[in-house]
Amino acid sequence: MRPSVVKRSIVSATAVVGLAIGTLAGAGTSFAASVPAAEPAVSAEAFGTLATNNLGLTYDQAKGIQRWLKGSWGYTGNIDGLLGTESWKAIQRYLARDWGYTDPIDGIAGPDTIRALQRFLTEYSIYTGPIDGIAGPGTRAAWSNWANYIG
């Protein structure tokens, strides 16, 4: 092959690669622009229920809660560190006995469940905030402290 043909082939190949990279970069940029920014984790307050709602507990803390529930409150699920519907049903059974929970045992960690939980945590001087049914930072911290105590 003549040097000019080799040179043109290299230039052509470089141009094709450059166009491909530019197209991919442009596609990546336009794709990134069309994807919404990551949303923060959804809180229980936003929707009242989630499939799993640890209220800020670690998996190990939640496992401790589940072991306690299994021993006393009819929890029959796995000890997996995920407080789902069955875990919350057992918590509601406990809260219904002594802490003023009167709603259905439905496994939803909604405002009435949180209010009863706040009453329980207040009785043991773990929580000092308002009984408002909002699982805010104070409620979550108290819940975590109690989980550490029983775990």
Side-chain angles (χ1 to χ4, degrees):
M1 264 182 139
R2 294 188 338 216
S4 63
V5 172
V6 172
K7 185 176 178 181
R8 273 187 272 155
S9 296
I10 291 173
V11 169
S12 296
T14 304
V16 168
V17 170
L19 285 172
I21 290 172
T23 302
L24 290 175
T29 304
S30 65
F31 176 75
S34 69
V35 175
E39 295 291 326
V42 177
S43 68
E45 299 85 39
F47 292 96
T49 183
L50 294 174
T52 300
N53 186 352
N54 282 14
L55 290 185
L57 298 184
T58 65
Y59 289 117
D60 287 339
Q61 290 172 317
K63 285 178 183 180
I65 297 282
Q66 288 172 323
R67 281 190 289 275
W68 173 73
L69 294 169
K70 192 171 239 40
S72 303
W73 298 102
Y75 176 65
T76 59
N78 294 327
I79 306 297
D80 59 6
L82 300 171
L83 299 182
T85 303
E86 294 307 311
S87 297
W88 281 102
K89 283 180 180 179
I91 292 167
Q92 288 170 332
R93 283 190 287 276
Y94 171 71
L95 295 172
R97 189 188 80 179
D98 293 321
W99 305 107
Y101 181 75
T102 59
D103 280 0
I105 305 297
D106 58 8
I108 297 171
D112 292 332
T113 303
I114 301 304
R115 271 191 284 280
L117 182 64
Q118 289 168 331
R119 282 191 287 278
F120 159 70
L121 295 168
T122 297
E123 181 68 24
Y124 290 97
S125 301
I126 301 170
Y127 177 68
T128 59
I131 308 298
D132 58 7
I134 298 170
T139 301
R140 290 171 184 261
W143 180 234
S144 177
N145 288 338
W146 187 71
N148 289 337
Y149 174 75
I150 67 158

